[in-house]
């Protein structure tokens, strides 16, 4: 791509560093900003820089938070003995949306992925183990994505917990609510039969 | 969406103002920036603000340019009598890529679109007519998108040029090179038959 302006080129190149945004899309976005009032670009730039420089993580669960202890961890009505292990803030938001979980979270900040150079020490696993050692937790729920990396991370943490009294569980894998059986993949369908639940249990969540 | 941090929410809301970027994508992009070095966010923010505040348009063709007269208009080897009318800088880049056009451009900055509140006065049409009146142009090529708005804009400018000696043409519409006939839409295929060209002409561009 040949640009008629160095300023334009810089903006497009920086924008196209974002994942899933190629040069063409970046150019479209940048031209859109040019057609909008100057204040919109200023607000966007300020919001991004402010977030990046002033970002804070909850000391307890490592979720993004503006306070030292996040709202969820500070809430006295939540069960501090029950901890749900998730990858990042998006998973916390998704689970909070269901209103089905009343415990605390532990945000790992990623998954073990040797291909991307991410080992256990880059995640917040040690902080989780420290909480377990301090006797603060009785049950841990693994809620990581059902991928090779997610399963590896689950298993790594599970192994580290072997000599403790903590109960562990993972979220149920099965056919999604509203999904047609014929379109489900074989592994999911197979697991949903092996891990079938008593019919009375299925009535509870309706 | 419930955010655990006001800073995060601000960044996501500003990012999702961009066209084609919803809240979910915005969150993904913002979380990506958080995982990158602080300098990347700083560079992105600076590039966008610099572009928006220091943006300059060529006095002659209205294309984005860092200099008062853009490189194309300042090039003595280009035919100043031949002007290609386009919507924005992306079209200039696309046509320049073909290396088939040796004249100058005139960037309208949009198309006439009453639905979006864009009339002729918001575009650089008057500047084009002034150049014509000054006798600087002998041929104008319309290269706008083949949409209702593009056709309207072409026709509006064409009408304004009625009492001048300027020749007008539009870029050829037809079956794209490499396209299969059976997949072409009827209107394009129909026009390509009506506007057929002598076979010898088609050999020239090969």
């Amino acid at each position: 791509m040949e640009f008629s302006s160095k300023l334009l080129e810089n903006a497009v190149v920086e924008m196209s560093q974002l994942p899933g945004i190629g040069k063409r899309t970046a150019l479209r976005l940048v031209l859109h900003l040019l057609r909008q009032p100057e204040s919109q670009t200023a607000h966007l730039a300020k919001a991004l820089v402010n977030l990046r420089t002033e970002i804070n993580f909850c000391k307890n669960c490592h979720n993004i938070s503006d306070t030292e202890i996040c709202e969820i961890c500070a809430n006295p009505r939540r069960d501090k003995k029950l901890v749900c292990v998730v990858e990042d803030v998006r998973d916390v938001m998704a689970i909070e949306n269901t209103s089905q979980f009343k415990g605390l979270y532990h945000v790992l900040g990623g998954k073990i992925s040797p291909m991307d150079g991410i080992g256990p020490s880059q995640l917040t696993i040690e902080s989780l183990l420290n909480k377990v050692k301090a006797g603060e937790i009785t049950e841990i729920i693994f809620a990581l994505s059902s991928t090779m990396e997610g399963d590896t991370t689950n298993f790594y943490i599970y192994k580290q917990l072997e000599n403790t009294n903590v109960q562990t569980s993972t979220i149920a894998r099965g056919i999604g609510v509203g999904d047609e059986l014929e379109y489900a993949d074989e592994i999911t369908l197979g697991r949903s039969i092996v891990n079938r639940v008593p019919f009375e249990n299925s009535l509870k969540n309706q």
Side-chain angles (χ1 to χ4, degrees), chain A:
Chain A
M1 260 191 192
E2 285 259 0
F3 291 91
S4 59
S5 150
K6 202 78 195 155
L7 287 169
L8 180 66
E9 182 169 6
N10 270 351
V12 169
V13 166
E14 289 296 336
M15 196 65 126
S16 63
Q17 307 279 315
L18 294 172
I21 297 201
K23 283 259 173 85
R24 253 167 211 271
T25 309
L27 180 57
R28 191 164 55 82
L29 297 179
V30 166
L31 291 180
H32 171 84
L33 283 176
L34 280 180
R35 282 192 298 268
Q36 303 301 312
E38 211 170 300
S39 61
Q40 185 174 333
T41 308
H43 287 156
L44 171 63
K46 206 174 155 203
L48 292 178
V49 168
N50 277 356
L51 174 69
R52 192 63 189 82
T53 52
E54 291 168 31
I55 184 80
N56 205 15
F57 295 92
C58 170
K59 287 231 161 117
N60 187 46
C61 72
H62 306 282
N63 193 11
I64 296 172
S65 164
D66 293 339
T67 48
E68 202 157 282
I69 299 292
C70 75
E71 271 182 40
I72 295 174
C73 289
N75 186 342
R77 288 207 230 151
R78 308 216 40 150
D79 182 356
K80 290 179 169 43
K81 298 264 176 200
L82 177 64
V83 168
C84 182
V85 173
V86 294
E87 193 186 333
D88 68 17
V89 60
R90 281 177 290 183
D91 304 322
V92 174
M93 287 162 71
I95 296 175
E96 281 298 284
N97 264 341
T98 69
S99 309
Q100 295 287 330
F101 181 66
K102 296 297 171 204
L104 302 188
Y105 295 91
H106 186 89
V107 178
L108 290 178
K111 289 172 291 193
I112 295 174
S113 172
M115 294 283 281
D116 304 316
I118 301 175
S121 59
Q122 270 112 314
L123 308 178
T124 63
I125 294 176
E126 209 180 312
S127 147
L128 177 68
L129 298 177
N130 287 340
K131 282 193 272 183
V132 170
K133 275 179 209 153
E136 294 171 26
I137 304 176
T138 54
E139 185 180 348
I140 287 179
I141 304 173
F142 293 116
L144 298 186
S145 315
S146 185
T147 59
M148 179 81 88
E149 289 82 12
D151 290 345
T152 306
T153 313
N154 285 342
F155 192 70
Y156 179 87
I157 300 175
Y158 174 76
K159 276 291 187 191
Q160 304 286 313
L161 294 170
E162 260 182 349
N163 296 320
T164 65
N165 293 325
V166 172
Q167 271 185 41
T168 50
S169 58
T170 79
I171 55 170
R173 310 290 182 191
I175 308 295
V177 177
D179 276 6
E180 306 252 15
L181 224 65
E182 59 178 322
Y183 297 119
D185 68 289
E186 295 156 31
I187 298 176
T188 302
L189 188 54
R191 276 205 203 173
S192 77
I193 292 172
V194 173
N195 301 321
R196 60 193 177 279
V197 294
F199 187 68
E200 300 85 49
N201 290 9
S202 73
L203 298 174
K204 281 186 206 158
N205 301 322
Q206 282 180 354

